[in-house]
Structure formats: structure tokens, C-alpha cells
């Protein structure tokens, strides 16, 4: 099909409206027509990659999508990416047929084959790998390219039926949050977006909501209209920081020190919410001289002991009519968890914080005073870059401590705004039945170490690798090593809708459908609504949904009946535990709750006893202190002065509005609308020291690789730090991904990445 054309001017105009037409030059005239949509069929869906899962509506004429709009009232206007999905659907680089490689891996040379040949070959390679080294020699990867409830789960289910396969552990972005939230509040993927506009003080910590959660930016504006103050903590003066009341520049990887300094000030200046701490948290739990939690009964994990001020005795924390002490007398054979927390905070005077973080002492005091007194106060940490540092979990823990210590949680306008969606409001089921035999436990590969582990054959030798909805090449840390790993595996399969850099390395390349070409359901962790995804048109070429592909492979492996389920029934299986019906979402998106959503309302948390914890036993099990402490990042000027002599600049990553990770990166309309070259943001002093000027072609480099880019030189970043753009494709426009540089150290607590703990240097090209 000929690709519809659109001018930059038309697309800019359309991006400010609520829909985009595929017909050009008749597009503008159609929008002005009295009823341009008359006679068109409509179908609902959502942008399914890791974004906000905004609702989309497709308008279909003669079997083709001719227009896309946003039809809901719960998000803002559709962004350029959502509007441009029509150019994804009809992209010139769509993968249209099953293909097998005929050139070298990475050349992108293929010949078309039939589906039967492709599936028979893949099934044969799976059987061969299992016979040689067991099912653990199969590596399956999927990620945020499609976060609906059928596609990636189908791959996981397939692996379970095979008996258990190797998968990755941890995420590229926010494992640090999971490792903090689960032990502290008992649940992950919890957001406070519904009451952002009711906050009086909003602390955007290490994130850029104007770009990354732009559909909810109008709530920030409402808060400002009501007198709220917005402050941004970030090494870079982001788009949000430009519009905020204050930008606080911080040295990457030092956010925990700032948090501990704020905690110290709160305790020293009488800002602790003592009633909240006593009633709703484990700050009052006692620990013995060895720093371990004291329990009445070792077999009862909920039998925490506290010191009762009334009876002057040790009693269970849940005993009636007690007044648990927040601190006990010096010299006692025990102390409270709060005392442990404050002990870690004690060294962090405003001056000590300033020395470590680069945040002036007066600013430290201003931040904590405003946060603790201008209630309700909210911290926004949604996908913040501070999480992607070696000890990002400690920083997240400090943020939750701040909210708990001041009672800024469980009420409108308070809390920590994380990535969150409908999964915090309702339960959902699996589309597929479990296998008759429980799959064996297979040691996973830490996400950050994908390349290194595959090359080393640890924890398992990999004979076969299948990946879908996943930009393995170019997005994952230490990208050059990942490419080596891809080349080393005996057989590599990719299911993809467009010819991505990863797809070019496939031995067998399978054409996958994209939104509006399949039926599915979205009940995930990015939107408060359950949404039906409807098939609007027949797939381009021979493209098939990932769940269909898994079903066809399951037939060849002998368990096809488990996947032989009508799509509507799969959707109903997912919905059943929630109480929401297929008929309801057929009419439109459904939110399971009424009114603004307030996580942990009234101080009721998702831990076993309903109280928030300061003491994190899972941390202790991994050899860490069970309360937040400051740990120096290894790959940093202070952590590794010798390496910093060679690579003196700290590199952080930022999300750009043109893409979601690597999604949309080669979209024709996006390329027309936004810049077609990556940039590196440098401080004026750092650029001058290297003879670099605004617009110069430069190379950012370290021992892992080199990243050609364009220099942007100004004072919107702190000296000694550079900011790279995330998501550029390998080889696109003659550039490569900044991920060739990124640190592949594993966050031990969260098994996440440390990409913002990276040292580099920059030279003129």
C-alpha cells in the first residue's frame, strides 16, 4: 500500500487537535468538513507500549485506517506518537512475511518463507536445544513494546509449558522502586495522579512529567493555579524544571544523601507526625543489640514488639490501648526502628549534604521546610533517572521515609507518584491455564548483564533465543556486548512489526501485528482504565499476533490445546477476578473505582499487617543494612577517582518526547516533526575546556563504546555532568544508541540497571 504523505505543517496543526487523518493533501479539508467522519467505522484501542496507555480510536474506510483520534475523557489530548500510529500501521519498513536470514547477522538480508516453514524450523530448534542442554538453554525475552494482557503473557505461558526457560530478572528502568516499595508499603505500581491538583507542594524528584507523563500535565497546571509550588530535583534543567518554581541541581547518584539530610531536619525540628507513625507504621518496632527485629513469637512474623509508654513494658504492637514509644531511653538493651533510621540520618547536616550532593545547604533546608509544612505535599518519582543508579533503591526508600515521617501519604494531594494503573485497584487473571506440571525454577539473567551473561554461558548455556516486543539491540546496557551475545547464540528468533535493529540480527524473522490489527485487552500498570483493544483492519501482509504465534508453536510442541482459546475467552479469563465484564469494556474504557483514587487511604498499607515498614528485612537478607543508608556509587568521580581521570564526566540518560524507549523511533511523521539526530547536553564550562561549541559534531566515549552525537551547550545542566538521549536506533541517520556507553552494573537490591552511573568523556568529531 502506498504510504500516505503529510507535511510538517499539517502534522504540527493536527498534533494540537484531537485526531489525525491519513489522507493528504485532503487532510486539512476533511477536518474542516461539516461531518468528516460520516460513514466511517470506529474501533477502540490503546497505545500498548510502556507509556500512559492513552485510549485511541481508529476510523476505518474501505478496510483501511484513515484517521486516529483520542476518544476518552480521562487523559489529555493525544500526543504526536499516538496520532502517528497510522504511520506505524502502514510503515514502509513493516515486516510483512516470515523470513529467514541469508546474509550475516546484522546485515538485514532475508528471503521470504511460509509460516509453516518458519514455525516448523523454530519448533525443531527448540526441541534440538532441549535435547542438548535442557529447557534452561532456551532464552525468552519480552519487554515494554506491548504491555497488554495477552501478548507477553503468551510467551511466558509457552515457556512454562516447555518446563521452565531462562528469562531476564529486573527491569531496565524501575526495579529500584520495586525493591523499596514492596517491603515498605507492600505493593508496587501505585500512583497519586488523581489528586495531583490538590497538592500544595509538588517535588518532582529526578523526573520530567511534562515529557514522560504529559497526559496528566494539566493536573500540575491546576495545582499551580491553586497556589501550589512545584520544585524539580534533577542534574538537568528539564522541560518541567523550566516551568517549575525552582530547579535544584544535584550530583547524580547522591539523592539518598539529600533524602537523609531532609529526614534529619524533620526529626530535629519537631516535624515528625508522631500519631501517624505510632498508628500506621513500624517505626515503633523494637530491634535488639544486633539490629534484628524483636518478636514475641519467632514463628509469628506479625508479633513485633514495642515499648508501651503506659505500662512501661514490652508488648505486641497490635495490643489494645497501648502507647508505643517512638524512641526508648539510652542504655536500653533494645531500640526502636525509628532510632535506627535517625542514626543513619544524623551525619547528614545541611553542610554535609551540600558537600556530597552539590545542593547548597540553604536549599536543603528550604526543600525540607517547604515539604514538611506546606501540606498536603507530594513527591513525584515516576521513572526518575535517580532510580537507574547503582543504589537507586536507597533513594526511593528515603522518599518513602519522608512521606511516612510527615504523614504525607494516604490522603488527597500526598504520597509518592509512581508508575501506576488499574492493577492497584483490581485483580486480574491469566489468559491461559497453568501447565499440568509446575515448571522448574531456572536461574535468570540480570537485565543489566544480558550481554555478559549470554556470552559467558551463565547461569545457563543458551542454545536458542526468542524475543518479541523488545529492543534488545541498542536499548539494553552495554549495547556492544549485547550485540556480541546475539551473534554468539546458535539460533535467534525475532517477532516484530517493523524492521528494527534487533530484527536485522534474526535467523528467523516473524511478522507481528500492531495495534488495530488484533483483539486484546489492556488492564495494566499505566492507566486507571481497563480498555478493550479491537481489531479494526486485517493485518498488513501475513502479520500475526504474538499469542497466535505461541499457539502455533504450542501445537508443534504437543500442548496446543492449552493455547487453543478464542480471543474473546482469553479476554474474559483476564477480566474474571476483577468483576468487570467483557460487555462493559466493549462499550468503552472502565475504571473499577469511583472518584479520585488515593493509594493507602487512611494509612492502610498492603503489608501483611496493614502498617508501613521502615525496617526492610529483604534488604538485610541480601547483606544490606535494613534501613536507608547512603552508599557511594562505584562508577563516579568519588567512587573511582582513577577511572574518572580518564572519563571525568558523569553521563545520565533522558527520555525524549519523540519516542517511547525505541518505539516510534523510525516513524515517518515523528521524523518529520522532531529532530533527526541525537544530542548530548553539556555545561558551558565542560564544552569550553574541550574546544566544543553549540552544534558541533562530537563523540561521547568510554571503554565500552563510542556515541557520535551533536553538542548542545548551555548552563541547563550542572558542570561535570552530560545528558544523553535514550532510545535512538543503532545506525539510524548515521548515529548509534547511547546505550553503547552505559554501565551494566547490577543494582543488587532491585536487580535493575545502573545506566545513570556511567563515566564518559567527550571530544570533537
Amino acid at each position: 500500500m502506498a504510504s500516505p504523505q503529510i507535511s510538517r505543517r499539517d502534522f504540527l496543526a493536527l498534533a494540537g487537535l484531537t485526531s489525525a487523518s491519513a489522507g493528504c493533501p485532503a487532510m486539512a479539508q476533511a477536518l474542516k468538513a461539516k461531518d468528516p467522519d460520516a460513514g466511517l467505522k470506529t474501533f477502540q484501542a490503546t497505545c500498548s507500549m510502556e507509556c500512559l496507555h492513552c485510549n485511541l480510536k481508529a476510523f476505518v474506510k474501505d478496510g483501511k485506517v484513515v484517521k486516529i483520534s483520542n476518544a476518552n475523557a480521562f487523559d489529555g489530548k493525544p500526543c504526536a506518537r499516538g496520532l502517528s500510529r497510522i504511520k506505524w500501521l502502514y510503515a514502509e519498513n513493516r515486516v510483512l512475511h516470515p523470513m529467514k536470514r541469508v546474509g550475516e547477522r546484522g546485515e538485514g538480508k532475508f528471503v521470504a518463507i511460509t509460516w509453516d516453514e518458519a514455525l516448523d524450523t523454530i519448533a525443531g530448534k527448540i526441541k534440538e536445544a532441549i535435547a542438548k542442554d535442557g529447557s534452561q538453554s532456551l532464552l525468552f525475552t519480552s519487554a515494554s513494546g506491548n504491555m497488554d494482557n495477552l501478548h507477553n503473557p503468551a510467551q511466558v505461558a509457552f515457556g512454562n509449558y516447555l518446563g521452565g526457560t531462562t528469562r531476564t530478572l529486573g527491569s531496565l528502568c524501575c526495579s529500584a522502586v520495586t525493591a523499596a516499595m514492596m517491603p515498605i508499603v507492600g505493593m508496587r505500581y501505585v500512583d497519586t495522579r488523581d489528586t495531583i491538583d490538590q497538592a500544595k507542594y509538588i517535588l518532582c524528584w529526578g523526573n520530567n512529567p511534562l515529557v514522560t507523563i504529559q497526559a496528566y500535565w494539566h493536573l500540575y497546571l491546576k495545582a499551580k493555579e491553586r497556589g501550589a509550588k512545584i520544585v524539580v530535583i534533577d542534574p538537568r534543567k528539564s522541560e518541567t524544571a523550566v516551568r517549575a518554581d525552582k530547579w535544584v541541581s544535584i550530583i547524580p547518584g547522591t539523592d539518598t544523601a539529600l533524602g537523609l539530610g531532609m529526614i534529619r531536619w524533620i526529626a530535629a525540628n519537631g516535624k515528625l507526625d508522631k500519631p501517624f507513625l505510632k498508628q500506621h507504621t513500624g517505626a515503633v518496632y523494637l530491634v535488639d543489640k544486633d539490629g534484628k527485629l524483636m518478636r514475641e513469637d519467632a514463628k509469628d512474623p506479625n508479633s513485633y514488639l514495642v515499648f508501651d509508654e503506659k505500662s512501661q513494658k514490652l508488648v505486641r504492637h497490635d495490643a489494645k490501648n497501648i502507647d508505643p514509644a517512638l524512641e526508648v531511653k539510652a542504655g536500653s538493651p533494645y531500640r526502636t526502628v525509628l532510632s535506627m533510621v535517625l542514626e543513619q540520618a544524623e551525619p547528614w547536616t545541611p553542610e554535609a549534604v551540600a558537600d556530597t550532593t552539590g545542593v547548597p545547604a540553604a536549599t536543603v533546608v528550604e526543600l525540607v521546610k517547604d515539604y514538611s509544612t506546606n501540606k498536603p505535599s507530594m513527591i513525584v518519582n515516576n521513572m526518575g533517572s535517580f532510580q537507574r543508579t547503582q543504589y537507586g533503591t536507597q533513594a526511593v526508600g528515603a522518599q518513602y521515609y519522608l512521606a511516612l515521617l510527615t504523614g504525607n501519604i494516604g490522603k488527597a494531594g500526598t504520597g509518592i507518584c509512581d508508575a501506576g494503573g488499574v492493577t492497584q485497584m483490581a485483580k486480574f487473571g491469566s489468559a491461559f491455564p497453568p501447565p499440568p506440571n509446575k515448571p522448574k525454577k531456572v536461574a535468570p539473567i540480570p537485565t543489566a548483564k544480558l550481554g555478559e551473561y549470554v556470552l559467558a554461558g551463565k547461569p545457563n548455556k543458551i542454545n536458542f533465543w526468542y524475543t518479541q516486543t523488545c529492543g534488545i539491540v541498542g536499548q539494553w546496557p552495554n549495547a556492544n556486548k549485547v550485540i556480541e551475545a546475539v551473534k554468539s547464540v546458535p539460533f535467534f528468533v525475532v517477532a516484530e512489526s517493523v524492521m528494527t535493529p534487533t530484527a536485522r540480527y534474526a535467523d528467523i524473522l516473524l511478522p507481528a501485528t500492531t495495534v488495530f490489527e488484533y483483539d486484546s485487552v489492556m488492564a495494566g500498570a499505566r492507566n486507571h482504565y481497563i480498555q478493550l483493544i479491537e481489531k479494526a483492519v486485517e493485518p498488513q501482509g501475513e502479520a500475526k499476533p504474538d499469542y497466535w504465534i505461541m499457539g502455533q508453536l504450542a501445537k508443534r510442541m504437543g500442548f496446543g490445546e492449552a493455547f487453543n482459546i478464542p480471543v474473546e475467552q482469553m479476554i474474559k479469563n483476564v477480566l474474571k477476578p476483577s468483576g468487570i465484564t467483557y460487555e462493559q469494556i466493549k462499550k468503552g474504557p472502565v475504571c473499577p473505582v469511583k472518584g479520585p483514587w488515593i493509594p493507602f487511604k487512611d494509612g492502610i498499607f498492603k503489608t501483611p499487617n496493614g502498617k508501613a515498614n521502615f525496617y526492610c528485612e529483604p534488604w538485610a537478607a541480601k547483606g544490606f543494612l535494613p534501613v536507608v543508608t547512603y552508599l557511594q556509587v562505584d562508577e563516579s568521580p568519588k567512587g573511582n577517582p582513577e577511572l574518572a581521570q580518564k572519563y571525568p564526566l558523569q553521563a545520565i540518560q533522558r527520555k525524549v518526547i519523540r519516542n517511547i524507549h525505541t518505539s516510534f523511533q523510525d516513524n515517518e511523521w515523528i521524523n518529520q516533526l522532531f529532530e533527526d539526530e541525537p544530542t548530548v547536553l553539556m555545561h558551558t564550562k565542560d564544552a569550553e575546556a574541550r574546544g566544543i561549541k553549540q552544534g558541533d559534531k562530537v563523540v561521547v566515549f568510554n571503554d565500552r563504546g563510542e556515541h557520535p552525537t551533536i553538542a548542545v551547550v548551555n548552563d541547563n545542566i550542572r558542570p561535570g555532568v552530560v545528558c544523553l538521549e535514550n532510545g535512538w536506533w543503532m545506525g539510524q541517520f548515521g548515529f548509534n544508541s547511547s546505550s553503547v556507553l552505559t554501565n551494566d552494573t547490577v543494582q543488587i537490591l532491585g536487580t535493575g540497571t545502573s545506566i545513570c552511573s556511567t563515566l564518559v568523556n567527550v571530544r570533537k568529531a
Side-chain angles (χ1 to χ4, degrees):
M1 172 184 176
S3 177
Q5 300 298 309
I6 182 173
S7 71
R8 178 184 174 91
R9 177 182 295 179
D10 284 338
F11 190 40
L12 281 167
L14 289 165
L17 299 172
T18 58
S19 62
S21 168
C24 191
M27 183 183 303
Q29 288 80 359
L31 284 172
K32 294 177 183 178
K34 197 169 186 179
D35 187 8
D37 303 334
L40 301 183
K41 295 181 179 180
T42 61
F43 301 84
Q44 60 176 314
T46 176
C47 273
S48 58
M49 74 293 298
E50 187 178 27
C51 193
L52 302 179
H53 299 161
C54 297
N55 187 254
L56 299 176
K57 179 185 286 188
F59 293 79
V60 176
K61 182 179 181 180
D62 298 329
K64 296 176 182 177
V65 176
V66 295
K67 175 179 172 181
I68 293 175
S69 75
N70 176 306
N72 62 323
F74 52 85
D75 292 328
K77 291 181 178 180
C79 72
R81 293 165 300 206
L83 296 175
S84 71
R85 289 212 67 114
I86 197 165
K87 294 298 285 186
W88 187 338
L89 184 65
Y90 300 120
E92 292 182 4
N93 64 346
R94 276 298 299 265
V95 179
L96 298 175
H97 310 284
M99 294 187 286
K100 67 178 180 181
R101 176 173 60 85
V102 293
E104 295 296 319
R105 280 188 182 166
E107 282 190 289
K109 293 182 179 179
F110 300 94
V111 293
I113 57 176
T114 66
W115 266 109
D116 280 339
E117 181 181 350
L119 294 166
D120 289 344
T121 301
I122 294 169
K125 292 294 183 179
I126 291 174
K127 293 174 182 177
E128 181 182 310
I130 293 174
K132 187 176 181 181
D133 292 297
S135 63
Q136 64 267 25
S137 71
L138 307 171
L139 173 60
F140 284 86
T141 50
S142 59
S144 57
N146 190 338
M147 297 179 69
D148 74 9
N149 296 70
L150 299 188
H151 287 81
N152 287 349
Q155 189 196 80
V156 173
F158 181 74
N160 288 339
Y161 272 88
L162 289 174
T165 63
T166 298
R167 297 194 65 85
T168 55
L169 179 65
S171 73
L172 291 176
C173 49
C174 54
S175 296
V177 180
T178 303
M181 286 188 68
M182 292 306 294
I184 293 175
V185 294
M187 187 178 185
R188 175 72 217 280
Y189 299 110
V190 173
D191 72 85
T192 58
R193 64 179 58 142
D194 282 0
T195 63
I196 288 171
D197 60 333
Q198 297 183 48
K200 292 183 179 178
Y201 185 81
I202 301 174
L203 191 56
C204 296
W205 201 320
N207 62 75
N208 187 16
L210 180 56
V211 168
T212 59
I213 47 177
Q214 72 278 0
Y216 305 100
W217 180 248
H218 63 98
L219 297 174
Y220 291 81
L221 297 179
K222 280 186 179 180
K224 282 184 70 70
E225 289 172 3
R226 295 174 176 176
K229 185 176 182 180
I230 298 179
V231 176
V232 174
I233 301 172
D234 199 309
R236 176 180 72 99
K237 192 172 187 179
S238 65
E239 292 85 346
T240 301
V242 169
R243 293 159 177 80
D245 295 284
K246 189 177 184 68
W247 169 45
V248 178
S249 176
I250 190 170
I251 295 172
T254 66
D255 302 83
T256 305
L258 175 58
L260 286 169
M262 294 171 70
I263 289 167
R264 182 185 186 277
W265 189 94
I266 286 168
N269 289 273
K271 297 300 182 181
L272 294 174
D273 189 332
K274 294 182 180 180
F276 184 88
L277 289 171
K278 290 183 176 186
Q279 185 177 354
H280 298 291
T281 81
V284 294
Y285 299 162
L286 296 176
V287 294
D288 61 23
K289 59 183 178 60
D290 296 322
K292 295 185 177 180
L293 285 169
M294 297 173 63
R295 290 180 168 91
E296 182 182 66
D297 181 356
K299 296 181 180 179
D300 181 1
N302 188 40
S303 63
Y304 303 106
L305 290 176
V306 300
F307 181 79
D308 178 26
E309 298 271 26
K310 291 181 179 179
S311 65
Q312 295 290 296
K313 294 180 180 179
L314 302 188
V315 299
R316 281 181 59 119
H317 73 102
D318 50 5
K320 302 294 184 182
N321 300 316
I322 62 170
D323 183 17
L326 285 168
E327 295 188 82
V328 297
K329 292 180 181 179
S332 299
Y334 42 77
R335 55 181 172 154
T336 64
V337 170
L338 178 62
S339 295
M340 288 188 73
V341 171
L342 298 183
E343 179 182 327
Q344 293 303 308
E346 181 56 31
W348 294 101
T349 63
E351 292 73 24
V353 173
D355 181 63
T356 296
T357 67
V359 178
T363 301
V364 175
V365 174
E366 178 188 347
L367 282 172
V368 64
K369 187 180 291 186
D370 285 350
Y371 175 76
S372 60
T373 57
N374 293 326
K375 296 182 177 182
S377 294
M378 182 182 294
I379 295 173
V380 181
N381 73 5
N382 182 279
M383 298 292 171
S385 60
F386 71 91
Q387 303 170 24
R388 303 180 191 107
T389 57
Q390 187 176 0
Y391 299 111
T393 297
Q394 302 287 341
V396 179
Q399 294 169 352
Y400 272 90
Y401 281 13
L402 287 169
L404 294 167
L405 291 168
T406 58
N408 271 309
I409 196 165
K411 299 180 283 289
T414 69
I416 311 288
C417 195
D418 175 38
V422 72
T423 52
Q424 65 194 306
M425 304 168 179
K427 293 183 179 180
F428 298 93
S430 172
F432 308 96
N437 300 313
K438 188 175 181 180
K440 61 188 175 185
K441 290 185 177 180
V442 178
I445 296 174
T447 293
K449 290 290 187 182
L450 179 64
E452 178 182 319
Y453 273 42
V454 170
L455 284 168
K458 65 178 190 180
N460 310 303
K461 178 185 176 183
I462 301 302
N463 296 325
F464 173 94
W465 188 348
Y466 187 108
T467 190
Q468 67 187 45
T469 67
C470 195
I472 292 293
V473 173
Q475 182 68 15
W476 291 45
N478 201 349
N480 285 330
K481 187 162 285 188
V482 173
I483 291 173
E484 288 182 49
V486 167
K487 289 181 176 180
S488 74
V489 173
F491 203 75
F492 184 56
V493 180
V494 178
E496 189 51 271
S497 57
V498 294
M499 185 62 74
T500 65
T502 302
R504 294 173 63 86
Y505 286 83
D507 290 302
I508 294 288
L509 178 57
L510 303 176
T513 48
T514 188
V515 171
F516 294 124
E517 293 181 323
Y518 57 76
D519 292 301
S520 188
V521 62
M522 176 66 76
R526 296 295 184 275
N527 199 293
H528 289 186
Y529 285 74
I530 307 166
Q531 302 177 67
L532 183 64
I533 299 173
E534 294 181 305
K535 180 179 177 181
V537 294
E538 289 301 314
Q540 292 290 288
E542 297 180 84
K544 299 290 185 182
D546 289 299
Y547 54 76
W548 180 91
I549 298 171
M550 288 297 131
Q552 294 300 307
L553 288 173
K555 285 182 182 179
R556 288 162 171 80
M557 298 305 298
F559 46 84
E561 68 282 352
F563 291 78
N564 187 23
I565 305 170
V567 179
E568 185 175 323
Q569 186 58 51
M570 291 186 201
I571 295 171
K572 290 179 178 179
N573 292 345
V574 170
L575 294 175
K576 187 175 180 179
S578 73
I580 304 297
T581 67
Y582 178 84
E583 288 68 30
Q584 286 177 281
I585 65 170
K586 183 75 174 174
K587 296 176 181 177
V590 175
C591 181
V593 299
K594 293 183 179 180
W597 175 252
I598 301 174
F600 314 121
K601 190 174 182 181
D602 301 324
I604 308 301
F605 297 93
K606 294 295 184 178
T607 56
N609 64 14
K611 294 183 179 181
N613 295 312
F614 285 84
Y615 190 109
C616 300
E617 291 183 283
W619 296 5
K622 290 189 174 184
F624 287 81
L625 199 67
V627 295
V628 169
T629 189
Y630 177 71
L631 299 168
Q632 176 64 54
V633 168
D634 291 336
E635 191 165 322
S636 65
K638 284 188 177 181
N640 193 336
E642 184 178 353
L643 185 63
Q645 287 291 319
K646 189 177 181 182
Y647 303 118
L649 301 173
Q650 292 182 267
I652 60 173
Q653 296 267 329
R654 75 180 182 98
K655 300 293 183 184
V656 291
I657 200 165
R658 60 168 289 135
N659 55 278
I660 303 298
H661 305 314
T662 58
S663 295
F664 295 104
Q665 192 58 51
D666 197 31
N667 184 290
E668 182 183 339
W669 285 357
I670 296 298
N671 290 342
Q672 291 177 15
L673 185 59
F674 297 106
E675 297 298 328
D676 59 1
E677 53 193 19
T679 66
V680 56
L681 176 60
M682 303 181 67
H683 191 274
T684 305
K685 292 180 180 178
D686 294 322
E688 288 177 349
R690 293 161 176 79
I692 294 170
K693 297 179 181 179
Q694 169 69 24
D696 280 353
K697 292 183 178 181
V698 298
V699 177
V700 188
F701 63 98
N702 59 18
D703 290 342
R704 300 184 189 98
E706 296 189 347
H707 173 55
T709 183
I710 307 298
V712 173
V713 180
N714 56 44
D715 295 342
N716 289 337
I717 193 166
R718 69 175 301 112
V721 180
V722 297
C723 186
L724 305 169
E725 295 180 351
N726 179 274
W728 286 88
W729 280 12
M730 298 292 284
Q732 187 178 19
F733 305 129
F735 295 92
N736 67 4
S737 168
S738 61
S739 293
V740 300
L741 307 168
T742 48
N743 187 354
D744 58 2
T745 296
V746 178
Q747 291 179 6
I748 296 176
L749 284 176
T751 323
T753 65
S754 305
I755 62 174
C756 289
S757 298
T758 295
L759 289 176
V760 301
N761 207 343
V762 184
R763 67 172 186 264
K764 291 186 70 171

